[in-house]
Amino acid sequence: MDAMKRIDKTLTTAIEQSLAASVAQASGSGCPTRLAAALRYAVFPGGARLRPRLTLSVACACSEDHPGIADSAAAAIELIHCGSLVHDDLPCFDDAPTRRGKASLHSAFGERLAVLVGDALIVMAFETLVRGCASAPHRLAALTTIVGRGAGTPAGIIAGQAWECEPVAPLAEYHRAKTGALFAAATMAGAAAAGAEPGPWRMLGERLGEAYQVADDIRDVASNEAELGKPVGRDAILGRPNVARERGLDEAIVYLNKLIAEAIESIPECSGAAGLRAVIERQTQSFLPASLANRVA
Amino acid sequence: MDAMKRIDKTLTTAIEQSLAASVAQASGSGCPTRLAAALRYAVFPGGARLRPRLTLSVACACSEDHPGIADSAAAAIELIHCGSLVHDDLPCFDDAPTRRGKASLHSAFGERLAVLVGDALIVMAFETLVRGCASAPHRLAALTTIVGRGAGTPAGIIAGQAWECEPVAPLAEYHRAKTGALFAAATMAGAAAAGAEPGPWRMLGERLGEAYQVADDIRDVASNEAELGKPVGRDAILGRPNVARERGLDEAIVYLNKLIAEAIESIPECSGAAGLRAVIERQTQSFLPASLANRVA
């Protein structure tokens, strides 16, 4: 196993264990059976776990001293993400029949449990931070603030989704809130979990978030459903802006490469900067499916 | 103005100011206009603000040393409550056309903003705690845990609502989670905000929560819509259990009085215990509308 694969596996184990602990806690004594099953369904099996991998990679680059804090921060970010997927898929929004290659949560458990699971995952994110910070409670306030801003209002992913309810949505603000905010929270939380200043890590998350959004637009136009695990061509059906449709596939891929380069360039000086650059380069290769990945520089 | 009215007015001012600060923060720069309006609509004007009044009354009885912490804890509890009302009113749950004497949030702003407002209010609750604890960050973990347990799973109000999605729901657990959990969080948060041990304050909240639930059942059977500000007879329509319908009005009122007496009896020894007993006696008189209130001992 090469070094990068070993790192990948270590990160995966830490993320899945931390998420499993949160779901076990939330499904404990007294929890209604179907709610517990729906919580588990919303979190496992995951997608690429991009955001929590970012959190752990940044924490590691910043020489974290309490790995349990970074694990809980990574899980909190992913729980917020999972909750947002469940609510975005609801009939009143995207009415998505599938997600991550299986029935969407409301298709499998009904709309009522989908509303409640999304709510519960938000609460779980903050509870997870408390447990993770037990050994260093002075880091809890900063992490809660970072996760709250990435999730909520005025400019987190909830606000980003709310732009779809406005008569006119400024495209940059929409994408920055809807996708960028939680990626920025992911990198900043990694730094804060390690006791580093989170501010300088915002740009890495924002650029990666925008890159991921552009890649998502490209996939929606150029991929196929089997490869993607969810329906394609949804942006056109739902009337949502799509960079690849508006500027063409080639230009969108050039733009994607530029954003990834800027992200890597923005990595602050820290003991693990070189390793982190390698991790980000590798991780961004997975933004596009295999049939398009060779077009990412 | 008598002493009790003065206390009432002081509590009201503290609660409304703390809520206004949270809504202003959440509606700040970058917030979509309709989302900001919907957030304000969900929080103002309020109902009786029973839960945050409890939090402040308990904090005061425990000789709070940082009033800002109790104010933020009270606001956090009320934000969770407001969010739960917005989601409970959704078409997939109660499909309630009105709430607090005006159109329900989804009737006024649409279902999509109702989902997002409920989500945003949960995030705001935790952010509000961080701001309130700025002067005493060592109290943040306990308060976050208390609010999280009252709100979420396995046995908070989200789990309580989820009992409606189970084929069989044990009545005691349903009510304990759906109503009791947030009342218990309200009293425990008041104690924790004042630096007191929260555990002994659980029973006061649980009994008051159950009393409030019984009063709600009585109102649903015996009140009228103009007095209540929401439709009556909904439990029968929605097939939900109702103590007053099942045991009769007289027996339900006897039971209500018993719960209130147990609540008052449970108040732990503290410097302000006598004053708190008087506050609770007065507050529980408002559990029933004027036409029934004289039947509460």
Side-chain angles (χ1 to χ4, degrees), chain B:
Chain B
M1 195 187 289
D2 70 21
M4 198 62 85
K5 274 196 185 145
R6 190 182 296 274
I7 292 171
D8 264 1
K9 204 175 163 206
T10 308
L11 294 190
T12 301
T13 304
I15 293 163
E16 300 305 316
Q17 283 182 349
S18 188
L19 288 170
S22 294
V23 171
Q25 177 85 22
S27 320
S29 176
C31 189
T33 309
R34 294 191 69 230
L35 176 63
L39 280 173
R40 183 162 296 279
Y41 188 91
V43 179
F44 304 106
R49 307 285 200 212
L50 288 174
R51 296 160 190 78
R53 298 177 91 76
L54 256 183
T55 301
L56 292 188
S57 302
V58 169
C60 186
C62 292
S63 311
E64 58 183 344
D65 47 355
H66 295 78
I69 304 181
D71 291 355
S72 78
I77 296 281
E78 181 67 11
L79 292 168
I80 294 287
H81 174 59
C82 292
S84 78
L85 296 182
V86 171
H87 280 185
D88 289 359
D89 284 345
L90 281 170
C92 66
F93 286 114
D94 293 359
D95 198 12
T98 56
R99 167 69 69 181
R100 290 175 173 169
K102 62 183 185 180
S104 58
L105 198 129
H106 67 90
S107 303
F109 289 89
E111 202 175 333
R112 297 187 300 168
L113 275 171
V115 170
L116 296 173
V117 162
D119 293 353
L121 290 169
I122 299 173
V123 176
M124 284 163 64
F126 294 103
E127 292 183 302
T128 299
L129 291 178
V130 174
R131 284 195 299 276
C133 289
S135 63
H138 56 286
R139 293 202 184 142
L140 178 59
L143 282 168
T144 302
T145 300
I146 289 167
V147 171
R149 277 194 197 151
T153 52
I157 56 171
I158 293 168
Q161 184 72 1
W163 278 115
E164 296 185 13
C165 308
E166 295 288 322
V168 180
L171 190 59
E173 285 195 51
Y174 169 62
H175 279 166
R176 195 155 47 228
K178 167 123 193 188
T179 313
L182 201 57
F183 273 88
T187 52
M188 293 168 76
E197 191 57 49
W201 291 90
R202 177 190 295 277
M203 185 179 287
L204 172 61
E206 282 185 347
R207 288 292 183 278
L208 288 176
E210 198 180 347
Y212 184 75
Q213 180 63 53
V214 172
D216 199 50
D217 286 2
I218 293 171
R219 285 179 299 179
D220 188 69
V221 166
S223 190
N224 63 65
E225 184 163 342
E227 200 169 40
L228 209 54
K230 65 178 183 180
V232 295
R234 299 287 296 171
D235 290 340
I237 294 166
L238 297 165
R240 282 190 302 222
N242 180 308
V243 171
R245 204 174 64 234
E246 283 154 29
R247 301 200 202 168
L249 201 55
D250 286 337
E251 200 178 316
I253 288 174
V254 168
Y255 187 47
L256 172 62
N257 286 328
K258 176 173 170 283
L259 289 167
I260 292 171
E262 285 176 4
I264 291 168
E265 183 69 24
S266 81
I267 291 174
E269 269 313 302
C270 59
S271 61
L276 182 61
R277 279 192 284 272
V279 166
I280 301 288
E281 274 167 17
R282 184 188 169 92
Q283 201 176 57
T284 49
Q285 282 169 9
S286 72
F287 277 18
L288 292 182
S291 61
L292 292 166
N294 60 352
R295 298 180 68 174
V296 177

Side-chain angles (χ1 to χ4, degrees), chain A residues 171-238:
Chain A
L171 190 58
E173 286 194 49
Y174 168 62
H175 280 165
R176 195 154 48 227
K178 167 121 193 192
T179 313
L182 201 57
F183 273 89
T187 52
M188 292 168 77
E197 190 58 48
W201 290 88
R202 177 191 294 277
M203 186 179 286
L204 172 62
E206 282 185 347
R207 288 294 183 278
L208 287 176
E210 197 180 347
Y212 185 74
Q213 180 64 54
V214 171
D216 200 50
D217 287 2
I218 293 171
R219 285 179 298 181
D220 188 68
V221 166
S223 189
N224 63 67
E225 183 162 344
E227 200 169 40
L228 210 54
K230 64 178 184 180
V232 294
R234 300 287 295 170
D235 290 340
I237 293 166
L238 297 166

